[in-house]
Every structure is written in structure tokens, then in C-alpha cells.
Amino acid sequence: SQQAALDVGIASGTAGTAVSLPIDLATNQSIAALQLDLTFPASVVTPTAATLGASASNHVIASGLVGTAYRVVIYSPTNAPLTSGRLANVSFSIASGAQPQTAPIGIQAVVLSAANATGIPTTGIDPG
């Protein structure tokens, strides 16, 4: 039985522009909070902001650089569960001198928790 799967979507753009990458969740668990780190090639793209998606509408989002990763934390002050679908959109700026290429964005260091702070294991983490 699936517990939780995360997916970084795909976006494309040209040098000097911004793109928005979706982060999606599929779950049958009552997840009230999550933390994940996004890895990225810093010479090509730079994360600039994260906004909530519809499946996290009753939640709060915080994000920022932690070392070389971009950390996204989504939580519910009222322990409302996340629903399957779009958790967040993370904006990245593409370097002005970037050549056409694929820039892999990965997910690592995922922590999911229920309202009672019990850890929930992920069954799939898919890079975009």
C-alpha cells in the first residue's frame, strides 16, 4: 500500500528567465507537515521562492537555502492533512549565460509527519 510519493515536475525556459517547478504529492496517509530539500546545479539555476499549491491550502510554507540545498517546509498550524496533488511551486531563475541543457532538480532529506508528530516513510521520491 502506498504511503507517500513526491514528484518534482518539469519546466523549461531560456537563459535569464524564471521558471516555476511543481512539487506534487500522492498519499493515502494523514500528513500534516513535511520538509524536503531540493538539490540543483547552482551554475545553471537559482531557487528564488516557494508558494503553496492547492493540496496544501490549509498550510503554511517556509523556504530558503540551507547549505547547498533549497529547503521547503510545509506545515499546518491546525494539523489539517495534506491532500494528494500540487503541494508547492518553486520558482527558479535561469542564469543569464546558461546554455541550452537539462538541469536536474532532485529531492532529498524528506521528512513527513502526522498530526501527532509520528514519522511517515516515503515509498517513492522521483527526481524531475
Side-chain angles (χ1 to χ4, degrees):
S1 70
Q2 179 182 9
Q3 294 183 348
L6 291 169
D7 177 64
V8 175
I10 297 172
S12 63
T14 58
T17 65
V19 297
S20 180
L21 283 173
I23 299 175
D24 295 322
L25 171 72
T27 186
N28 61 1
Q29 299 294 304
S30 182
I31 299 170
L34 72 83
Q35 173 183 301
L36 59 89
D37 289 350
L38 297 174
T39 59
F40 54 93
S43 62
V44 180
V45 295
T46 304
T48 57
T51 58
L52 286 175
S55 67
S57 60
N58 295 319
H59 289 68
V60 176
I61 192 168
S63 61
L65 283 173
V66 177
T68 59
Y70 189 70
R71 180 160 294 163
V72 177
V73 178
I74 299 173
Y75 64 95
S76 170
T78 62
N79 291 326
L82 293 164
T83 57
S84 294
R86 182 69 32 89
L87 281 181
N89 292 295
V90 180
S91 298
F92 283 83
S93 62
I94 302 172
S96 59
Q99 298 298 309
Q101 62 184 289
T102 298
I105 308 295
I107 298 177
Q108 68 178 17
V110 175
V111 178
L112 303 174
S113 62
N116 62 1
T118 301
I120 299 170
T122 59
T123 57
I125 300 175
D126 303 320

